[in-house]
Amino acid sequence: MKIALVHDYLTQRGGAERVFELLCNYFPEADIFTSLYDPQQTIELGDRLVNTTQLQNIPGATKYFRLLAPFYYPAFRALDLQDYDLIISSTSSFAKGVRKHPDATHICFCHNVTRFLWDTQTYLREYKDYRLYSPMIKKIFNRLREFDITYAQEPDLYVANSTTVAERIQTIYGKPAQVIHYPINTSKFIFDDRKEDYFYVSSRMISYKRIDIIVEAFNWLGWTLLIAGEGPERERLEAKALNNIRFLGYVSDKERKQLMAKARGVIIAALEDYGLVPIEANVSGTPVIAYGAGGVLDTQIPGKTGIFFNKQTPESIHAALIEFNQLTWDYAQIRHYALSKFSEAVFFGKVTQLMQQMCGFKPDHSLNLSIPVEQS
């Protein structure tokens, strides 16, 4: 069986890219396709050949990839995947639109509907270019929404990472989706029950992540907060943060796993469609403080693996942190729960069963998915 793996663009290293990395590891003989590829800024693919679209030839495209939104669907439609029996797309936007042979099967791992099209105000409100060119952008986006719905009909089956995303796929695209909770690569995280006196945020610096309200809450508390990540919001956030808050910028995987494991808690203020960061924290034995909506409702047990705050306000985060400070956390139990629910073995067991039902797929390799979490 000839397999193609397709991802939107490999120009950053977020949760969607980490899931795609796992898919690439599980299908070592599959061919990889994406619109744009920057090996210095994204997941590790070793010496695997990465096939790109014609957009790769545009100077600066990998850096300014968000500006190319009107051109992605034509680029993906131009890819020649007619020789493949099974197409597996990993997408939050455009990769679902690839063409296939009529007898082929296309399974789409949909991390979300195309969020900047369907939740534009939340996703782009702090971008200066959006505010400046909003009337023109709205016209373009209206047209892109038509394409998005049309090409969303291409996959034979949708796999959603959470019930929230499955509901959006059904509502917007009119397609049912099977929920399989995405895993994390447990080998990349360590467990440590010797917590240090800081809280941690690991996130891209974009407006819908709502790091602004986390910063304001910690300005009030004076507690130590470490924030890792880059993005267009960083300068604005640094300007409003007091001295108890440190911005780390890009951190390596080695640094990140240490920061995650030793933090008192990891904070998520966005309405996440699913969210790998809370699971990564839990596998590290670290509880989370999260906005209580979206994907975390599928992954967290209040009072056991973390706590929720009910409003995206500094006041609500402040109250949750005070409550968090009064609870006793069983770090080993937090880790055990995450491993039992969100490991690669659990995920790929469900995926393999699904593919057997859809197209008779059977893995022709033996992959060790029972990787224990390293002790610090």
Side-chain angles (χ1 to χ4, degrees):
M1 178 175 287
K2 195 171 182 181
I3 302 174
L5 301 176
V6 190
H7 190 69
D8 292 325
Y9 27 70
L10 294 172
T11 56
Q12 56 188 353
R13 187 177 180 83
E17 287 74 32
R18 292 196 289 274
V19 171
F20 188 66
E21 185 176 33
L22 289 173
L23 290 168
C24 291
N25 292 338
Y26 189 65
F27 299 99
E29 304 301 322
D31 293 333
I32 299 173
F33 294 84
T34 190
S35 61
L36 297 165
Y37 178 47
D38 183 348
Q40 303 304 315
Q41 299 296 326
T42 192
I43 54 176
E44 175 57 51
L45 293 171
D47 59 359
R48 298 274 289 272
L49 174 65
V50 178
N51 300 281
T52 58
T53 68
Q54 293 182 350
L55 298 179
Q56 186 77 21
N57 299 323
I58 299 175
T62 58
K63 182 177 181 180
Y64 301 105
F65 62 94
R66 291 186 179 89
L67 300 180
L68 299 176
F71 307 105
Y72 283 112
Y73 270 133
F76 276 110
R77 298 295 287 175
L79 287 175
D80 183 5
L81 303 181
Q82 294 299 302
D83 292 337
Y84 292 91
D85 306 297
L86 174 61
I87 296 170
I88 300 171
S89 60
S90 161
T91 182
S92 302
S93 48
F94 305 106
K96 60 181 175 285
V98 293
R99 301 174 188 265
K100 68 180 182 69
H101 188 277
D103 295 329
T105 300
H106 179 177
I107 299 176
C108 177
F109 287 80
C110 186
H111 314 300
N112 199 359
V113 298
T114 309
R115 190 161 185 169
F116 72 87
L117 292 179
W118 300 104
D119 192 12
T120 305
Q121 278 298 116
T122 300
Y123 197 83
L124 296 179
R125 63 184 170 190
E126 298 298 339
Y127 281 90
K128 294 178 182 178
D129 289 342
Y130 174 68
R131 296 197 300 272
L132 185 61
Y133 300 109
S134 181
M136 180 179 68
I137 290 173
K138 285 180 179 178
K139 292 180 180 179
I140 295 172
F141 279 15
N142 284 337
R143 184 60 174 151
L144 285 177
R145 289 187 192 102
E146 296 176 13
F147 287 122
D148 198 47
I149 291 175
T150 297
Y151 295 136
Q153 310 309 308
E154 293 285 347
D156 298 293
L157 176 70
Y158 276 93
V159 175
N161 50 18
S162 70
T163 53
T164 296
V165 171
E167 289 168 359
R168 290 176 185 166
I169 293 169
Q170 179 67 67
T171 300
I172 294 174
Y173 297 151
K175 302 281 283 188
Q178 181 162 334
V179 176
I180 301 180
H181 295 131
Y182 291 177
I184 63 167
N185 187 338
T186 54
S187 67
K188 294 191 174 182
F189 296 90
I190 61 174
F191 171 73
D192 199 329
D193 58 5
R194 298 163 297 178
K195 303 300 183 184
E196 297 183 4
D197 192 21
Y198 66 86
F199 290 82
Y200 181 58
V201 171
S202 178
S203 174
R204 286 173 292 159
M205 302 285 171
I206 53 180
S207 61
Y208 89 88
K209 294 292 187 178
R210 298 312 312 270
I211 300 171
D212 57 331
I213 60 175
I214 302 175
V215 166
E216 191 164 345
F218 275 83
N219 279 345
W220 298 343
L221 288 164
W223 297 355
T224 300
L225 175 67
L226 305 182
I227 303 176
E230 292 284 5
E233 285 278 275
R234 180 173 175 176
E235 184 178 345
R236 185 178 75 89
L237 293 167
E238 282 190 290
K240 70 183 296 185
L242 298 182
N243 291 336
N244 57 302
I245 300 172
R246 287 175 52 205
F247 289 80
L248 306 178
Y250 169 80
V251 298
S252 67
D253 283 350
K254 182 178 180 180
E255 294 172 303
R256 187 171 181 268
K257 70 181 181 182
Q258 292 285 346
L259 289 163
M260 192 80 75
K262 293 182 180 296
R264 291 182 58 201
V266 170
I267 308 173
I268 301 96
L271 171 55
E272 294 288 4
D273 321 305
Y274 179 53
L276 292 176
V277 169
I279 302 170
E280 292 169 346
N282 289 167
V283 164
S284 307
T286 303
V288 304
I289 304 96
Y291 176 48
V296 292
L297 300 179
D298 286 4
T299 66
Q300 299 298 308
I301 303 176
K304 299 294 184 183
T305 64
I307 64 170
F308 295 147
F309 52 92
N310 296 324
K311 296 180 180 179
Q312 287 176 303
T313 64
E315 293 82 1
S316 191
I317 294 177
H318 181 279
L321 285 164
I322 297 299
E323 179 186 352
F324 178 94
N325 226 24
Q326 296 170 347
L327 297 174
T328 300
W329 299 98
D330 186 335
Y331 303 127
Q333 186 59 37
I334 291 171
R335 166 183 176 263
H336 174 76
Y337 174 79
L339 285 174
S340 69
K341 298 291 186 181
F342 307 109
S343 69
E344 301 97 313
V346 172
F347 174 74
F348 282 111
K350 294 178 179 179
V351 168
T352 300
Q353 183 179 25
L354 178 65
M355 291 182 178
Q356 287 175 342
Q357 295 171 351
M358 285 290 296
C359 57
F361 167 80
K362 292 183 180 180
D364 57 1
H365 61 284
S366 177
L367 187 64
N368 178 18
L369 296 174
S370 300
I371 305 171
V373 173
E374 173 188 345
Q375 292 288 135
S376 172

